[in-house]
Amino acid sequence: MASTFLRDCSTSSTVRLLHLQCRTNSLLPLHGLAPLSLPRTLGFSRTPISLRALCVASASPSPPPSATAEASLSGEGCATVIDGKAVAKKIREEVSAEVARMKEAIGVVPGLAVILVGDRTESATYVRNKKKACGHVGINSFEVHLPADSTEEEVLNSISGFNTDPNVHGILVQLPLPPHMNEQNVLNAVSIEKDVDGFHPLNIGRLAMRNREPLFVPCTPKGCIELLHRYRVDIKGKRAVVIGRSNIVGMPAALLLQREDATVSIVHSRTSNPEEITRQADIIIAAVGQANMVRANWIKPGAVVIDVGINRVEVS
Ligand SMILES: NC(=O)C1=CN([C@@H]2O[C@H](COP(=O)(O)OP(=O)(O)OC[C@H]3O[C@@H](n4cnc5c(N)ncnc54)[C@H](OP(=O)(O)O)[C@@H]3O)[C@@H](O)[C@H]2O)C=CC1
Ligand SMILES: Nc1nc(=O)c2c([nH]1)NC[C@@H]1CN(c3ccc(C(=O)N[C@@H](CCC(=O)O)C(=O)O)cc3)C=[N+]21
């Protein structure tokens, strides 16, 4: 039996995720995985917060594209780690080049506006990160920060200002909003042409319908699909399981996988046999607000797993 260290793709920290038994002649590294050799939970968790450890097994014997190859494999050869950081770097370079080309060709610099309401630390961090990311690729960013006790009308006014501002091409209303606000009213107010989150019901509706194209797709599920594409994971005809059904991750992830011709099941808190369903999956996208829910022996050997969960865990 070998044990492997899978690097969390979203950070440089290393975490012991699982023990693997590895058959040396196997192209699908997890084929030798024996449930009895997995004493620990397959922890998509790390300290101090469990981030989206995007991991596990190679579903395809073909090597990942060169863009990601440099960091594609870690551990002892038992599992391929999907390296989100390397992919993100490559995408940032591509976007930078596109932004520069656009500026040169038509003199337009894309602009992203973010509306933040209240003082949640996490939300402030995400918004800061978005602004930083914009800066790195040459996108202009605009921000409105409203106090937590603002009225819904004040938020709607900010949205309407950005809807008509020609320098703003995308609008994000950072969620969650304070409880006294009606999220649906607020998200409906964002112009669908600027709905970069893809949360407007028209965009989500188009995502759900055949022969319709949403103008934007929610970023986290889109990122998951992008990772699968860039690692040349076949989706068509595969069994995919999405764990979680939220509007921002689980549900759009399931819709996107279905559009890619996967056969999709959704596991949620009322699913009576999550283990049995998850074990059938060739592709698993986990978006659950609970650490350690998926156990190692729920995962079929050779399955591809993307965990987007960010959950705090106690460590002994
Ligand atoms: N990396 C990223 O870019 C992002 C990461 N996240 C992270 O992803 C995770 C999910 O976020 P989000 O979708 O917004 O969370 P929500 O809380 O909105 O949804 C969680 C989902 O998980 C389901 N669930 C909860 N417990 C269980 C269980 N024991 N068994 C099966 N299903 C369960 C819920 O089911 P039910 O519907 O029945 O309640 C629900 O559908 C969080 O950790 C969040 O921090 C979120 C957004 C982006
Ligand atoms: N309107 C809106 N759109 C969202 O997309 C949205 C939202 N509201 N509200 C909250 C959730 C959460 N979410 C995350 C996105 C990226 C990381 C992410 O990239 N995290 C970094 C770490 C960030 C850190 O430094 O803590 C990482 O995984 O490496 C995390 C979480 C988007 N959401």
Side-chain angles (χ1 to χ4, degrees):
M1 193 186 98
S3 71
T4 190
F5 288 84
L6 302 180
R7 199 157 55 84
D8 183 312
C9 61
S10 59
T11 72
S12 57
S13 66
T14 301
V15 59
R16 186 169 68 145
L17 288 174
L18 70 166
H19 294 275
L20 300 171
Q21 188 178 31
C22 193
R23 274 210 320 239
T24 50
N25 62 351
S26 176
L27 285 170
L28 300 180
L30 284 187
H31 271 174
L33 185 148
L36 285 177
S37 71
L38 294 159
R40 289 166 55 103
T41 302
L42 176 55
F44 302 126
S45 317
R46 65 176 174 79
T47 355
I49 343 175
S50 155
L51 285 185
R52 44 210 177 123
L54 307 176
C55 65
V56 178
S58 163
S60 152
S62 63
S66 55
T68 53
E70 71 272 14
S72 65
L73 200 71
S74 76
E76 294 156 30
C78 291
T80 298
V81 177
I82 297 174
D83 187 338
K85 270 201 158 180
V87 176
K89 183 168 177 281
K90 180 76 174 54
I91 291 174
R92 275 196 299 272
E93 286 163 11
E94 291 166 9
V95 174
S96 286
E98 208 177 323
V99 168
R101 258 201 320 273
M102 186 191 265
K103 188 176 176 183
E104 200 177 302
I106 56 170
V108 173
V109 177
L112 176 73
V114 180
I115 299 169
L116 173 64
V117 190
D119 295 307
R120 288 171 60 103
T121 317
E122 283 165 27
S123 296
T125 304
Y126 294 146
V127 169
R128 202 170 47 246
N129 287 347
K130 283 168 195 167
K131 286 172 81 172
K132 239 182 2 200
C134 284
H136 285 144
V137 297
I139 293 177
N140 288 333
S141 49
F142 305 86
E143 185 187 341
V144 165
H145 189 174
L146 297 169
D149 60 0
S150 308
T151 62
E152 193 175 305
E153 199 187 349
E154 285 170 300
V155 178
L156 293 174
N157 285 340
S158 300
I159 294 175
S160 133
F162 287 137
N163 277 342
T164 51
D165 185 338
N167 296 313
V168 170
H169 306 91
I171 304 170
L172 287 167
V173 182
Q174 186 65 25
L175 300 178
L177 288 164
H180 66 277
M181 288 188 191
N182 182 325
E183 183 185 290
Q184 197 174 326
N185 287 346
V186 170
L187 296 181
N188 285 359
V190 176
S191 152
I192 60 160
E193 285 85 11
K194 298 190 178 185
D195 175 36
V196 280
D197 258 328
F199 292 165
H200 192 289
L202 253 173
N203 277 323
I204 288 283
R206 290 183 185 179
L207 181 66
M209 292 170 83
R210 291 182 71 84
N211 305 317
R212 302 284 195 286
E213 291 303 324
L215 297 172
F216 297 97
V217 169
C219 63
T220 303
K222 187 171 164 57
C224 295
I225 301 293
E226 190 67 28
L227 286 170
L228 296 174
H229 284 165
R230 289 188 183 235
Y231 271 81
R232 298 198 186 132
V233 174
D234 281 336
I235 306 177
K236 198 186 182 93
K238 294 291 192 280
R239 298 193 74 130
V241 168
V242 178
I243 308 175
R245 56 174 167 180
S246 70
N247 288 342
I248 73 168
V249 195
M251 178 267 288
L255 293 173
L256 275 174
L257 285 164
Q258 182 169 262
R259 286 175 81 95
E260 297 271 335
D261 293 327
T263 301
V264 184
S265 304
I266 300 173
V267 167
H268 49 75
S269 67
R270 305 300 166 99
T271 303
S272 57
N273 53 347
E275 178 175 345
E276 191 186 314
I277 293 170
T278 307
R279 206 177 281 122
Q280 293 174 10
D282 303 303
I283 298 167
I284 300 166
I285 295 184
V288 194
Q290 185 193 320
N292 296 334
M293 188 211 137
V294 178
R295 323 300 291 191
N297 63 0
W298 292 20
I299 299 183
K300 184 167 82 173
V304 176
V305 182
I306 298 184
D307 180 13
V308 307
I310 305 173
N311 303 298
R312 286 182 186 281
V313 287
E314 294 295 323
V315 283
S316 50

PDB file of all heavy atoms in Angstrom, residues 60-73 80-83 86-87 90 94 226-233:
ATOM      1  N   SER A  60      -8.531   9.574 -17.162  1.00  0.00           N
ATOM      2  CA  SER A  60      -8.115   9.402 -18.536  1.00  0.00           C
ATOM      3  C   SER A  60      -6.626   9.115 -18.571  1.00  0.00           C
ATOM      4  O   SER A  60      -5.848   9.778 -17.900  1.00  0.00           O
ATOM      5  CB  SER A  60      -8.417  10.696 -19.288  1.00  0.00           C
ATOM      6  OG  SER A  60      -7.521  10.823 -20.350  1.00  0.00           O
ATOM      7  N   PRO A  61      -6.217   8.152 -19.345  1.00  0.00           N
ATOM      8  CA  PRO A  61      -4.805   7.864 -19.407  1.00  0.00           C
ATOM      9  C   PRO A  61      -4.025   8.921 -20.180  1.00  0.00           C
ATOM     10  O   PRO A  61      -2.825   8.981 -20.100  1.00  0.00           O
ATOM     11  CB  PRO A  61      -4.755   6.524 -20.145  1.00  0.00           C
ATOM     12  CG  PRO A  61      -6.063   6.383 -20.841  1.00  0.00           C
ATOM     13  CD  PRO A  61      -7.044   7.252 -20.134  1.00  0.00           C
ATOM     14  N   SER A  62      -4.736   9.791 -20.901  1.00  0.00           N
ATOM     15  CA  SER A  62      -4.016  10.797 -21.669  1.00  0.00           C
ATOM     16  C   SER A  62      -3.491  11.870 -20.741  1.00  0.00           C
ATOM     17  O   SER A  62      -4.119  12.215 -19.742  1.00  0.00           O
ATOM     18  CB  SER A  62      -4.933  11.427 -22.713  1.00  0.00           C
ATOM     19  OG  SER A  62      -5.986  12.087 -22.065  1.00  0.00           O
ATOM     20  N   PRO A  63      -2.311  12.421 -21.078  1.00  0.00           N
ATOM     21  CA  PRO A  63      -1.751  13.417 -20.183  1.00  0.00           C
ATOM     22  C   PRO A  63      -2.544  14.705 -20.255  1.00  0.00           C
ATOM     23  O   PRO A  63      -3.203  14.973 -21.242  1.00  0.00           O
ATOM     24  CB  PRO A  63      -0.339  13.637 -20.762  1.00  0.00           C
ATOM     25  CG  PRO A  63      -0.457  13.240 -22.183  1.00  0.00           C
ATOM     26  CD  PRO A  63      -1.519  12.203 -22.266  1.00  0.00           C
ATOM     27  N   PRO A  64      -2.501  15.497 -19.176  1.00  0.00           N
ATOM     28  CA  PRO A  64      -3.190  16.767 -19.239  1.00  0.00           C
ATOM     29  C   PRO A  64      -2.515  17.687 -20.244  1.00  0.00           C
ATOM     30  O   PRO A  64      -1.350  17.471 -20.587  1.00  0.00           O
ATOM     31  CB  PRO A  64      -3.058  17.310 -17.813  1.00  0.00           C
ATOM     32  CG  PRO A  64      -1.914  16.594 -17.226  1.00  0.00           C
ATOM     33  CD  PRO A  64      -1.803  15.286 -17.923  1.00  0.00           C
ATOM     34  N   PRO A  65      -3.201  18.698 -20.724  1.00  0.00           N
ATOM     35  CA  PRO A  65      -2.597  19.597 -21.683  1.00  0.00           C
ATOM     36  C   PRO A  65      -1.391  20.297 -21.088  1.00  0.00           C
ATOM     37  O   PRO A  65      -1.274  20.427 -19.876  1.00  0.00           O
ATOM     38  CB  PRO A  65      -3.715  20.599 -21.988  1.00  0.00           C
ATOM     39  CG  PRO A  65      -4.732  20.419 -20.924  1.00  0.00           C
ATOM     40  CD  PRO A  65      -4.571  19.037 -20.402  1.00  0.00           C
ATOM     41  N   SER A  66      -0.511  20.768 -21.966  1.00  0.00           N
ATOM     42  CA  SER A  66       0.746  21.320 -21.482  1.00  0.00           C
ATOM     43  C   SER A  66       0.516  22.494 -20.540  1.00  0.00           C
ATOM     44  O   SER A  66       1.302  22.752 -19.657  1.00  0.00           O
ATOM     45  CB  SER A  66       1.597  21.761 -22.657  1.00  0.00           C
ATOM     46  OG  SER A  66       0.851  22.667 -23.443  1.00  0.00           O
ATOM     47  N   ALA A  67      -0.580  23.203 -20.741  1.00  0.00           N
ATOM     48  CA  ALA A  67      -0.868  24.351 -19.880  1.00  0.00           C
ATOM     49  C   ALA A  67      -0.903  23.958 -18.424  1.00  0.00           C
ATOM     50  O   ALA A  67      -0.622  24.748 -17.542  1.00  0.00           O
ATOM     51  CB  ALA A  67      -2.211  24.942 -20.256  1.00  0.00           C
ATOM     52  N   THR A  68      -1.256  22.734 -18.155  1.00  0.00           N
ATOM     53  CA  THR A  68      -1.410  22.332 -16.767  1.00  0.00           C
ATOM     54  C   THR A  68      -0.434  21.240 -16.394  1.00  0.00           C
ATOM     55  O   THR A  68      -0.355  20.855 -15.251  1.00  0.00           O
ATOM     56  CB  THR A  68      -2.831  21.804 -16.553  1.00  0.00           C
ATOM     57  OG1 THR A  68      -3.068  20.812 -17.529  1.00  0.00           O
ATOM     58  CG2 THR A  68      -3.855  22.903 -16.679  1.00  0.00           C
ATOM     59  N   ALA A  69       0.300  20.792 -17.384  1.00  0.00           N
ATOM     60  CA  ALA A  69       1.112  19.600 -17.151  1.00  0.00           C
ATOM     61  C   ALA A  69       2.156  19.804 -16.070  1.00  0.00           C
ATOM     62  O   ALA A  69       2.450  18.896 -15.317  1.00  0.00           O
ATOM     63  CB  ALA A  69       1.781  19.175 -18.444  1.00  0.00           C
ATOM     64  N   GLU A  70       2.649  21.030 -15.976  1.00  0.00           N
ATOM     65  CA  GLU A  70       3.770  21.221 -15.072  1.00  0.00           C
ATOM     66  C   GLU A  70       3.423  20.883 -13.624  1.00  0.00           C
ATOM     67  O   GLU A  70       4.277  20.563 -12.833  1.00  0.00           O
ATOM     68  CB  GLU A  70       4.342  22.637 -15.193  1.00  0.00           C
ATOM     69  CG  GLU A  70       3.490  23.768 -14.639  1.00  0.00           C
ATOM     70  CD  GLU A  70       2.504  24.317 -15.654  1.00  0.00           C
ATOM     71  OE1 GLU A  70       2.289  23.659 -16.689  1.00  0.00           O
ATOM     72  OE2 GLU A  70       1.945  25.384 -15.404  1.00  0.00           O
ATOM     73  N   ALA A  71       2.176  20.958 -13.293  1.00  0.00           N
ATOM     74  CA  ALA A  71       1.831  20.717 -11.890  1.00  0.00           C
ATOM     75  C   ALA A  71       0.738  19.685 -11.783  1.00  0.00           C
ATOM     76  O   ALA A  71      -0.065  19.696 -10.887  1.00  0.00           O
ATOM     77  CB  ALA A  71       1.399  22.024 -11.244  1.00  0.00           C
ATOM     78  N   SER A  72       0.698  18.812 -12.755  1.00  0.00           N
ATOM     79  CA  SER A  72      -0.454  17.937 -12.818  1.00  0.00           C
ATOM     80  C   SER A  72      -0.392  16.757 -11.865  1.00  0.00           C
ATOM     81  O   SER A  72      -1.402  16.239 -11.445  1.00  0.00           O
ATOM     82  CB  SER A  72      -0.633  17.422 -14.232  1.00  0.00           C
ATOM     83  OG  SER A  72       0.470  16.628 -14.554  1.00  0.00           O
ATOM     84  N   LEU A  73       0.768  16.345 -11.533  1.00  0.00           N
ATOM     85  CA  LEU A  73       0.857  15.130 -10.744  1.00  0.00           C
ATOM     86  C   LEU A  73       1.622  15.394  -9.467  1.00  0.00           C
ATOM     87  O   LEU A  73       2.660  16.018  -9.471  1.00  0.00           O
ATOM     88  CB  LEU A  73       1.580  14.069 -11.568  1.00  0.00           C
ATOM     89  CG  LEU A  73       1.371  12.637 -11.143  1.00  0.00           C
ATOM     90  CD1 LEU A  73      -0.054  12.201 -11.471  1.00  0.00           C
ATOM     91  CD2 LEU A  73       2.348  11.750 -11.875  1.00  0.00           C
ATOM     92  N   THR A  80      -3.931  11.636  -9.904  1.00  0.00           N
ATOM     93  CA  THR A  80      -3.608  12.910 -10.538  1.00  0.00           C
ATOM     94  C   THR A  80      -4.312  14.006  -9.774  1.00  0.00           C
ATOM     95  O   THR A  80      -5.509  13.909  -9.515  1.00  0.00           O
ATOM     96  CB  THR A  80      -4.103  12.909 -11.996  1.00  0.00           C
ATOM     97  OG1 THR A  80      -3.418  11.875 -12.689  1.00  0.00           O
ATOM     98  CG2 THR A  80      -3.832  14.236 -12.668  1.00  0.00           C
ATOM     99  N   VAL A  81      -3.574  15.007  -9.431  1.00  0.00           N
ATOM    100  CA  VAL A  81      -4.191  16.132  -8.752  1.00  0.00           C
ATOM    101  C   VAL A  81      -4.507  17.206  -9.780  1.00  0.00           C
ATOM    102  O   VAL A  81      -3.642  17.602 -10.554  1.00  0.00           O
ATOM    103  CB  VAL A  81      -3.261  16.714  -7.665  1.00  0.00           C
ATOM    104  CG1 VAL A  81      -3.904  17.940  -7.022  1.00  0.00           C
ATOM    105  CG2 VAL A  81      -2.961  15.676  -6.622  1.00  0.00           C
ATOM    106  N   ILE A  82      -5.734  17.624  -9.791  1.00  0.00           N
ATOM    107  CA  ILE A  82      -6.118  18.713 -10.682  1.00  0.00           C
ATOM    108  C   ILE A  82      -5.618  19.997 -10.031  1.00  0.00           C
ATOM    109  O   ILE A  82      -6.062  20.362  -8.948  1.00  0.00           O
ATOM    110  CB  ILE A  82      -7.647  18.747 -10.873  1.00  0.00           C
ATOM    111  CG1 ILE A  82      -8.103  17.458 -11.553  1.00  0.00           C
ATOM    112  CG2 ILE A  82      -8.054  19.962 -11.671  1.00  0.00           C
ATOM    113  CD1 ILE A  82      -9.615  17.323 -11.658  1.00  0.00           C
ATOM    114  N   ASP A  83      -4.693  20.636 -10.696  1.00  0.00           N
ATOM    115  CA  ASP A  83      -4.039  21.783 -10.089  1.00  0.00           C
ATOM    116  C   ASP A  83      -4.733  23.081 -10.517  1.00  0.00           C
ATOM    117  O   ASP A  83      -4.407  23.672 -11.541  1.00  0.00           O
ATOM    118  CB  ASP A  83      -2.559  21.794 -10.488  1.00  0.00           C
ATOM    119  CG  ASP A  83      -1.789  22.864  -9.738  1.00  0.00           C
ATOM    120  OD1 ASP A  83      -2.412  23.831  -9.249  1.00  0.00           O
ATOM    121  OD2 ASP A  83      -0.552  22.735  -9.638  1.00  0.00           O
ATOM    122  N   ALA A  86      -2.514  26.234 -11.136  1.00  0.00           N
ATOM    123  CA  ALA A  86      -1.796  26.310 -12.419  1.00  0.00           C
ATOM    124  C   ALA A  86      -2.760  26.702 -13.537  1.00  0.00           C
ATOM    125  O   ALA A  86      -2.430  27.518 -14.397  1.00  0.00           O
ATOM    126  CB  ALA A  86      -1.133  24.965 -12.724  1.00  0.00           C
ATOM    127  N   VAL A  87      -3.955  26.111 -13.495  1.00  0.00           N
ATOM    128  CA  VAL A  87      -4.945  26.443 -14.527  1.00  0.00           C
ATOM    129  C   VAL A  87      -5.333  27.918 -14.417  1.00  0.00           C
ATOM    130  O   VAL A  87      -5.429  28.634 -15.417  1.00  0.00           O
ATOM    131  CB  VAL A  87      -6.199  25.544 -14.405  1.00  0.00           C
ATOM    132  CG1 VAL A  87      -7.269  25.960 -15.403  1.00  0.00           C
ATOM    133  CG2 VAL A  87      -5.836  24.077 -14.623  1.00  0.00           C
ATOM    134  N   LYS A  90      -2.792  30.195 -15.951  1.00  0.00           N
ATOM    135  CA  LYS A  90      -2.866  30.165 -17.416  1.00  0.00           C
ATOM    136  C   LYS A  90      -4.065  30.994 -17.899  1.00  0.00           C
ATOM    137  O   LYS A  90      -3.949  31.773 -18.852  1.00  0.00           O
ATOM    138  CB  LYS A  90      -3.007  28.689 -17.853  1.00  0.00           C
ATOM    139  CG  LYS A  90      -3.095  28.471 -19.333  1.00  0.00           C
ATOM    140  CD  LYS A  90      -1.724  28.627 -19.957  1.00  0.00           C
ATOM    141  CE  LYS A  90      -1.625  28.293 -21.433  1.00  0.00           C
ATOM    142  NZ  LYS A  90      -2.520  28.967 -22.319  1.00  0.00           N
ATOM    143  N   GLU A  94      -4.305  34.311 -20.346  1.00  0.00           N
ATOM    144  CA  GLU A  94      -5.154  34.385 -21.541  1.00  0.00           C
ATOM    145  C   GLU A  94      -6.067  35.612 -21.489  1.00  0.00           C
ATOM    146  O   GLU A  94      -6.228  36.321 -22.472  1.00  0.00           O
ATOM    147  CB  GLU A  94      -6.008  33.110 -21.663  1.00  0.00           C
ATOM    148  CG  GLU A  94      -5.189  31.867 -22.004  1.00  0.00           C
ATOM    149  CD  GLU A  94      -5.974  30.555 -21.783  1.00  0.00           C
ATOM    150  OE1 GLU A  94      -7.198  30.605 -21.526  1.00  0.00           O
ATOM    151  OE2 GLU A  94      -5.351  29.497 -21.854  1.00  0.00           O
ATOM    152  N   GLU A 226     -14.422  23.921 -16.623  1.00  0.00           N
ATOM    153  CA  GLU A 226     -13.187  24.353 -17.283  1.00  0.00           C
ATOM    154  C   GLU A 226     -12.017  23.442 -16.872  1.00  0.00           C
ATOM    155  O   GLU A 226     -11.190  23.045 -17.687  1.00  0.00           O
ATOM    156  CB  GLU A 226     -12.908  25.809 -16.881  1.00  0.00           C
ATOM    157  CG  GLU A 226     -11.801  26.494 -17.644  1.00  0.00           C
ATOM    158  CD  GLU A 226     -12.113  26.717 -19.115  1.00  0.00           C
ATOM    159  OE1 GLU A 226     -13.299  26.848 -19.477  1.00  0.00           O
ATOM    160  OE2 GLU A 226     -11.147  26.734 -19.906  1.00  0.00           O
ATOM    161  N   LEU A 227     -11.973  23.110 -15.582  1.00  0.00           N
ATOM    162  CA  LEU A 227     -10.914  22.206 -15.111  1.00  0.00           C
ATOM    163  C   LEU A 227     -11.031  20.849 -15.789  1.00  0.00           C
ATOM    164  O   LEU A 227     -10.024  20.259 -16.216  1.00  0.00           O
ATOM    165  CB  LEU A 227     -10.989  22.034 -13.592  1.00  0.00           C
ATOM    166  CG  LEU A 227     -10.521  23.221 -12.760  1.00  0.00           C
ATOM    167  CD1 LEU A 227     -10.881  23.020 -11.290  1.00  0.00           C
ATOM    168  CD2 LEU A 227      -9.010  23.416 -12.901  1.00  0.00           C
ATOM    169  N   LEU A 228     -12.257  20.352 -15.890  1.00  0.00           N
ATOM    170  CA  LEU A 228     -12.444  19.043 -16.535  1.00  0.00           C
ATOM    171  C   LEU A 228     -11.985  19.121 -17.991  1.00  0.00           C
ATOM    172  O   LEU A 228     -11.286  18.234 -18.488  1.00  0.00           O
ATOM    173  CB  LEU A 228     -13.909  18.601 -16.447  1.00  0.00           C
ATOM    174  CG  LEU A 228     -14.456  18.357 -15.023  1.00  0.00           C
ATOM    175  CD1 LEU A 228     -15.952  18.060 -15.064  1.00  0.00           C
ATOM    176  CD2 LEU A 228     -13.716  17.210 -14.339  1.00  0.00           C
ATOM    177  N   HIS A 229     -12.364  20.195 -18.668  1.00  0.00           N
ATOM    178  CA  HIS A 229     -11.942  20.340 -20.070  1.00  0.00           C
ATOM    179  C   HIS A 229     -10.435  20.409 -20.200  1.00  0.00           C
ATOM    180  O   HIS A 229      -9.833  19.740 -21.025  1.00  0.00           O
ATOM    181  CB  HIS A 229     -12.534  21.621 -20.677  1.00  0.00           C
ATOM    182  CG  HIS A 229     -13.988  21.494 -21.007  1.00  0.00           C
ATOM    183  ND1 HIS A 229     -14.788  22.569 -21.274  1.00  0.00           N
ATOM    184  CD2 HIS A 229     -14.801  20.416 -21.105  1.00  0.00           C
ATOM    185  CE1 HIS A 229     -16.021  22.169 -21.534  1.00  0.00           C
ATOM    186  NE2 HIS A 229     -16.053  20.856 -21.422  1.00  0.00           N
ATOM    187  N   ARG A 230      -9.848  21.251 -19.368  1.00  0.00           N
ATOM    188  CA  ARG A 230      -8.403  21.459 -19.524  1.00  0.00           C
ATOM    189  C   ARG A 230      -7.605  20.219 -19.145  1.00  0.00           C
ATOM    190  O   ARG A 230      -6.459  20.084 -19.536  1.00  0.00           O
ATOM    191  CB  ARG A 230      -7.962  22.695 -18.740  1.00  0.00           C
ATOM    192  CG  ARG A 230      -8.476  23.972 -19.413  1.00  0.00           C
ATOM    193  CD  ARG A 230      -7.920  25.231 -18.803  1.00  0.00           C
ATOM    194  NE  ARG A 230      -8.523  26.403 -19.457  1.00  0.00           N
ATOM    195  CZ  ARG A 230      -7.831  27.393 -20.036  1.00  0.00           C
ATOM    196  NH1 ARG A 230      -6.530  27.382 -20.015  1.00  0.00           N
ATOM    197  NH2 ARG A 230      -8.468  28.408 -20.599  1.00  0.00           N
ATOM    198  N   TYR A 231      -8.200  19.357 -18.341  1.00  0.00           N
ATOM    199  CA  TYR A 231      -7.548  18.092 -18.021  1.00  0.00           C
ATOM    200  C   TYR A 231      -8.040  16.953 -18.912  1.00  0.00           C
ATOM    201  O   TYR A 231      -7.757  15.795 -18.656  1.00  0.00           O
ATOM    202  CB  TYR A 231      -7.756  17.746 -16.537  1.00  0.00           C
ATOM    203  CG  TYR A 231      -6.663  18.340 -15.674  1.00  0.00           C
ATOM    204  CD1 TYR A 231      -6.705  19.666 -15.286  1.00  0.00           C
ATOM    205  CD2 TYR A 231      -5.561  17.582 -15.285  1.00  0.00           C
ATOM    206  CE1 TYR A 231      -5.694  20.228 -14.528  1.00  0.00           C
ATOM    207  CE2 TYR A 231      -4.550  18.123 -14.519  1.00  0.00           C
ATOM    208  CZ  TYR A 231      -4.615  19.449 -14.144  1.00  0.00           C
ATOM    209  OH  TYR A 231      -3.607  19.987 -13.387  1.00  0.00           O
ATOM    210  N   ARG A 232      -8.748  17.341 -19.952  1.00  0.00           N
ATOM    211  CA  ARG A 232      -9.255  16.385 -20.948  1.00  0.00           C
ATOM    212  C   ARG A 232     -10.020  15.221 -20.323  1.00  0.00           C
ATOM    213  O   ARG A 232      -9.830  14.056 -20.699  1.00  0.00           O
ATOM    214  CB  ARG A 232      -8.099  15.836 -21.793  1.00  0.00           C
ATOM    215  CG  ARG A 232      -7.404  16.923 -22.570  1.00  0.00           C
ATOM    216  CD  ARG A 232      -6.595  16.340 -23.697  1.00  0.00           C
ATOM    217  NE  ARG A 232      -5.828  17.390 -24.345  1.00  0.00           N
ATOM    218  CZ  ARG A 232      -4.545  17.315 -24.633  1.00  0.00           C
ATOM    219  NH1 ARG A 232      -3.863  16.216 -24.321  1.00  0.00           N
ATOM    220  NH2 ARG A 232      -3.924  18.299 -25.235  1.00  0.00           N
ATOM    221  N   VAL A 233     -10.829  15.566 -19.352  1.00  0.00           N
ATOM    222  CA  VAL A 233     -11.698  14.544 -18.762  1.00  0.00           C
ATOM    223  C   VAL A 233     -12.943  14.439 -19.646  1.00  0.00           C
ATOM    224  O   VAL A 233     -13.599  15.448 -19.908  1.00  0.00           O
ATOM    225  CB  VAL A 233     -12.108  14.952 -17.322  1.00  0.00           C
ATOM    226  CG1 VAL A 233     -13.137  13.980 -16.758  1.00  0.00           C
ATOM    227  CG2 VAL A 233     -10.884  15.025 -16.419  1.00  0.00           C
TER     228      VAL A 233
END
